[in-house]
């Protein structure tokens, strides 16, 4: 099973 | 104060029904430009972004930017009490801790109001950069829903690969394998059956079907859905809400070790 990356690693925090 | 009157009241119901299983509680942000929501699911794997522009409302007034935290489950319960053709008006005072939903029947013979308690929600707001996607496929929303549902009975993940020949959705599991290819068809008799593929370069990404299936709950909102993909970036699943804005979902691809 491939790991599921979380979204905050792709988008910047505002 | 905040006041927004939406003639197509059932649109709000459809939006909340589309996101309530993914996001439990969320902040709705109101400003003079409109009514928006951005929220991640509990595990921070997917993101929902709703935008309803103020000019899409029959009447829209927002004196001061405000953020209204709501339980989407409770909001759905309230909106369920609205008639399908009802006009919905939302009202909130600047310093209040409730939001009122007023439902008016089209014949103006029934008016009801429901007050929902607001809640304080800590939420992380993410900046989503403009992205040059390698491929965008726009297909009928019902077709996307069917593909996700059909492939879920085969496997847990789907590989979506876009090439000049079309977009292939592939899944495999204990049962076996499945491939569904949709090809560009911009000459379909009915506009709602059209498929368009905007391809800059071929791209193939793997996604968890569980989330893609959840996004398909927005199907009643639009005739079509667009999937925009770029290598190593989250897919954007975009439902355009006519004359008003959009409901978008983001999900990061699974990465090979």
């Amino acid at each position: 099973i491939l790991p599921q990356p979380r979204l905050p690693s792709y988008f910047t925090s505002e | 104060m905040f006041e927004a009157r939406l003639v197509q009241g059932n649109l709000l119901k459809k939006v909340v029904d589309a996101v309530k299983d993914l996001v439990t509680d969320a902040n709705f942000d109101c400003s003079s430009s409109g009514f928006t929501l951005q929220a991640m699911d509990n595990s921070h794997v997917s993101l929902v972004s709703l935008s309803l522009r103020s000019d899409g409302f029959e009447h829209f007034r927002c004196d001061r930017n405000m953020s209204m935290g709501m339980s989407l489950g409770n909001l759905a319960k309230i909106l369920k009490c609205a008639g399908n053709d009802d006009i919905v008006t939302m009202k909130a005072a600047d310093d209040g801790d409730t939001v009122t939903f007023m439902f008016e029947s089209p014949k103006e013979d029934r008016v009801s109001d429901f007050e929902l308690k607001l809640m304080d929600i800590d939420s992380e707001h993410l900046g989503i950069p403009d992205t040059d996607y390698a491929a965008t496929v726009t297909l009928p929303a019902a077709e996307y829903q069917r593909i996700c549902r059909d492939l879920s009975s085969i496997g847990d993940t789907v590989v979506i690969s876009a090439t000049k020949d079309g977009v292939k959705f592939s899944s495999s599991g204990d049962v076996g394998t499945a491939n569904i290819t949709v090809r560009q068809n911009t000459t379909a008799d009915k506009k709602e059956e059209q498929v368009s593929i905007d391809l800059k370069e071929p791209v193939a990404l793997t996604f968890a079907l569980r989330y893609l299936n959840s996004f398909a709950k927005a199907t009643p909102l639009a005739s079509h859905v667009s999937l925009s993909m770029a290598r190593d970036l989250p897919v954007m699943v975009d439902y355009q809400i006519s004359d008003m804005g959009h409901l978008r979902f983001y999900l990061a691809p699974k990465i090979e070790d």
Side-chain angles (χ1 to χ4, degrees):
Chain A
I1 298 170
L2 299 173
Q4 175 65 57
R6 287 153 41 101
L7 274 184
S9 46
Y10 295 89
F11 298 139
T12 51
S13 206
E14 283 187 338
Chain B
M1 80 172 284
F2 165 67
E3 197 171 83
R5 180 177 161 91
L6 187 61
V7 176
Q8 268 184 283
N10 67 349
L11 196 144
L12 204 57
K13 201 193 279 199
K14 288 177 189 171
V15 165
V16 175
D17 285 341
V19 301
K20 71 177 194 315
D21 294 338
L22 212 53
V23 177
T24 339
D25 306 316
N27 283 318
F28 285 87
D29 297 312
C30 318
S31 72
S32 54
S33 57
F35 190 65
T36 62
L37 169 153
Q38 192 203 76
M40 282 186 282
D41 67 295
N42 275 338
S43 49
H44 288 199
V45 163
S46 63
L47 182 133
V48 180
S49 173
L50 166 74
S51 171
L52 298 175
R53 289 188 312 271
S54 54
D55 59 27
F57 291 84
E58 193 196 35
H59 165 75
F60 193 94
R61 174 182 165 183
C62 182
D63 301 336
R64 189 169 70 83
N65 290 1
M66 58 198 283
S67 197
M68 299 189 292
M70 300 185 211
S71 144
L72 294 189
N74 291 344
L75 175 57
K77 280 182 197 171
I78 284 182
L79 292 173
K80 215 175 166 182
C81 303
N84 226 12
D85 302 321
D86 280 3
I87 298 163
V88 173
T89 303
M90 300 181 274
K91 277 183 199 180
D94 284 346
D95 52 357
D97 54 4
T98 61
V99 55
T100 300
F101 293 86
M102 184 171 80
F103 307 140
E104 292 168 85
S105 67
K107 287 181 188 163
E108 299 176 354
D109 52 358
R110 186 178 195 269
V111 180
S112 49
D113 60 82
F114 291 76
E115 204 176 73
L116 175 67
K117 287 179 194 155
L118 296 177
M119 51 202 288
D120 284 325
I121 299 168
D122 275 334
S123 69
E124 189 182 357
H125 207 270
L126 299 177
I128 303 166
D130 284 335
T131 304
D132 284 328
Y133 288 104
T136 294
V137 53
T138 303
L139 71 166
E143 175 68 16
Y144 167 78
Q145 183 179 42
R146 180 178 171 196
I147 292 169
C148 294
R149 190 190 58 214
D150 289 352
L151 293 183
S152 296
S153 56
I154 303 296
D156 297 329
T157 58
V158 57
V159 178
I160 308 179
S161 47
T163 64
K164 61 178 174 41
D165 296 326
V167 178
K168 186 166 79 169
F169 299 78
S170 310
S171 192
S172 61
D174 296 341
V175 180
T177 63
N179 296 290
I180 301 169
T181 301
V182 291
R183 296 207 170 86
Q184 171 141 300
N185 178 3
T186 48
T187 54
D189 290 346
K190 295 179 185 163
K191 204 179 169 210
E192 54 269 26
E193 290 172 4
Q194 291 186 355
V195 175
S196 71
I197 298 168
D198 176 10
L199 186 81
K200 294 199 178 69
E201 56 178 319
V203 61
L205 300 169
T206 304
F207 297 103
L209 275 165
R210 187 184 140 208
Y211 289 96
L212 295 187
N213 253 316
S214 186
F215 304 163
K217 290 189 175 140
T219 305
L221 276 170
S223 69
H224 283 74
V225 59
S226 295
L227 314 179
S228 297
M229 300 189 294
R231 205 178 146 187
D232 298 334
L233 286 180
V235 61
M236 176 174 79
V237 180
D238 181 346
Y239 292 86
Q240 287 291 317
I241 303 171
S242 58
D243 301 327
M244 284 212 80
H246 58 248
L247 180 61
R248 290 177 180 156
F249 301 92
Y250 295 85
L251 175 69
K254 296 218 169 203
I255 299 171
E256 302 278 353
D257 279 333

